[in-house]
Amino acid sequence: MRLEASPPRVVLFIILLFPSLCLTQGLDCTHARADKQSWNFGDLDGPVSVMTSEDHAPSPKLTNTTFTVDVCKPLQKAKGIPKDEDCPNGTRVCAIKRTVNTLDNTTAFDYAIPIAGEYGHSTGERLNHKWQRLKTSSSSHDRSKEGVRLEMYGQKSDGAQQKAVIDFLCDARAEERRKRDLSSLVARDDDEEDHSATGEVADDGHGGKVKYISYEQVGDNHKVLTLEWTTRFACEDAGSKEKSSKPWGFFTWLIIIFFLAIAAYLIFGSWLNYNRYSARGWDLVPHSETIRDIPYIFKDWMRRVVNTIQGPGSRGGYSAV
């Protein structure tokens, strides 16, 4: 017996399914595209955190704000942390503020702010991400850089719409530094600056650096977090370099060695037939008679395969009594 689904249930099912379909079409870090240029940040998968500190001297209290970002997938819930001390599911950029008392060495949780994420399943806020190529930016300052800008939105906090801006800047030397396993910070082209004024820097695990720039009110109803991420994956020729530098696999080498061995055998055999038997033409090639018979051997083999597949067929003559 076939059961008919009632219209209200079908509508409810579609309403519940629609946010999930929208989430699957969200930010894809492996295919960032802007102005006919593509970038692949798939290797940067995973959370990266930078922290800023604010001293409240002469008070013994110190405020630490940790900004955690994952450009490839929503942040995972940390184990052992209460639900109200972490950002909600779907968050891509989370800010957690804590107050440290330097006298008794205690830490107290203040609040968590979901700066960017996809919350269509709960509050309705969308990530609304956008990629922008820096070389074609309207700002002359940005046009001098090579890379791409990612803008993401989150929930409202204290009446301000949260927003994250990450500038992925090309750093072709990042892979070289990673291989050398440098433990020091990236050397700047300009004069050395104090990190307390310019923001903290974190290693992304691939030779690149994530630097905190600012987290400030912009206009009347927006609060924007700005980060700079220097990485080799932001270079516009990174994709072609990855393809050209990709080593050959085992089977590729196996095929090359196989053909080289055949070529060496034919050359050595031809030289031997020429010097020992004074052979000419086809007779120079080793096993030349067998090579000439290959088309006929293949034709007979194909006939046998066809006959085997078709079977013996119906038997003619009289039937048994």
Side-chain angles (χ1 to χ4, degrees), residues 117-129:
E118 187 72 50
Y119 310 105
H121 59 283
S122 56
T123 60
E125 283 93 348
R126 298 293 181 185
L127 187 64
N128 291 333
H129 69 282

Side-chain angles (χ1 to χ4, degrees), residues 113-273:
I113 301 177
I115 297 178
E118 187 72 50
Y119 310 105
H121 59 283
S122 56
T123 60
E125 283 93 348
R126 298 293 181 185
L127 187 64
N128 291 333
H129 69 282
K130 182 177 71 172
W131 298 97
Q132 180 183 358
R133 188 185 181 194
L134 295 179
K135 282 187 175 181
T136 57
S137 174
S138 58
S139 171
S140 58
H141 177 69
D142 291 337
R143 286 198 298 269
S144 62
K145 304 175 184 178
E146 180 179 354
V148 63
R149 173 172 295 159
L150 172 61
E151 296 182 1
M152 300 178 288
Y153 288 85
Q155 295 185 358
K156 288 186 177 181
S157 179
D158 295 333
Q161 175 66 56
Q162 300 296 315
K163 179 182 178 181
V165 177
I166 304 176
D167 286 345
F168 293 91
L169 303 180
C170 173
D171 186 2
R173 297 179 300 168
E175 177 66 8
E176 180 182 349
R177 284 194 299 273
R178 186 184 70 85
K179 291 181 178 179
R180 293 177 181 177
D181 194 22
L182 294 179
S183 58
S184 60
L185 294 175
V186 181
R188 296 185 181 88
D189 294 332
D190 53 355
D191 296 335
E192 284 294 324
E193 299 177 5
D194 184 10
H195 287 181
S196 62
T198 60
E200 298 295 329
V201 180
D203 194 339
D204 65 1
H206 297 275
K209 302 292 179 180
V210 181
K211 179 182 175 183
Y212 167 84
I213 301 299
S214 64
Y215 181 50
E216 57 189 6
Q217 190 82 17
V218 177
D220 295 332
N221 55 355
H222 281 80
K223 196 166 186 179
V224 181
L225 168 68
T226 304
L227 302 175
E228 275 189 3
W229 197 325
T230 55
T231 173
R232 61 189 174 96
F233 301 109
C235 300
E236 296 189 353
D237 59 347
S240 59
K241 285 183 178 180
E242 289 292 327
K243 293 179 181 179
S244 61
S245 62
K246 186 177 181 180
W248 289 347
F250 170 76
F251 290 103
T252 304
W253 280 110
L254 189 64
I255 293 173
I256 292 175
I257 293 173
F258 175 74
F259 280 104
L260 288 177
I262 292 178
Y265 174 75
L266 292 175
I267 293 172
F268 178 75
S270 300
W271 176 83
L272 190 64
N273 289 338

Side-chain angles (χ1 to χ4, degrees), residues 25-140:
Q25 299 176 353
L27 174 61
D28 182 7
C29 66
T30 63
H31 189 67
R33 188 164 180 83
D35 194 29
K36 299 181 181 180
Q37 180 68 38
S38 297
W39 295 265
N40 185 350
F41 298 110
D43 288 344
L44 301 181
D45 183 17
V48 180
S49 298
V50 293
M51 185 179 70
T52 62
S53 298
E54 184 180 356
D55 193 357
H56 301 281
S59 172
K61 293 184 178 180
L62 184 71
T63 300
N64 291 335
T65 305
T66 303
F67 300 94
T68 305
V69 55
D70 191 336
V71 296
C72 291
K73 63 180 182 298
L75 295 169
Q76 301 296 319
K77 290 287 187 178
K79 295 182 180 180
I81 296 181
K83 183 178 179 181
D84 57 348
E85 295 185 12
D86 203 352
C87 289
N89 293 326
T91 301
R92 296 287 185 114
V93 183
C94 178
I96 297 180
K97 185 177 181 180
R98 296 181 176 90
T99 300
V100 180
N101 193 322
T102 57
L103 289 180
D104 53 11
N105 198 24
T106 58
T107 302
F109 170 81
D110 289 341
Y111 53 79
I113 301 177
I115 297 178
E118 187 72 50
Y119 310 105
H121 59 283
S122 56
T123 60
E125 283 93 348
R126 298 293 181 185
L127 187 64
N128 291 333
H129 69 282
K130 182 177 71 172
W131 298 97
Q132 180 183 358
R133 188 185 181 194
L134 295 179
K135 282 187 175 181
T136 57
S137 174
S138 58
S139 171
S140 58

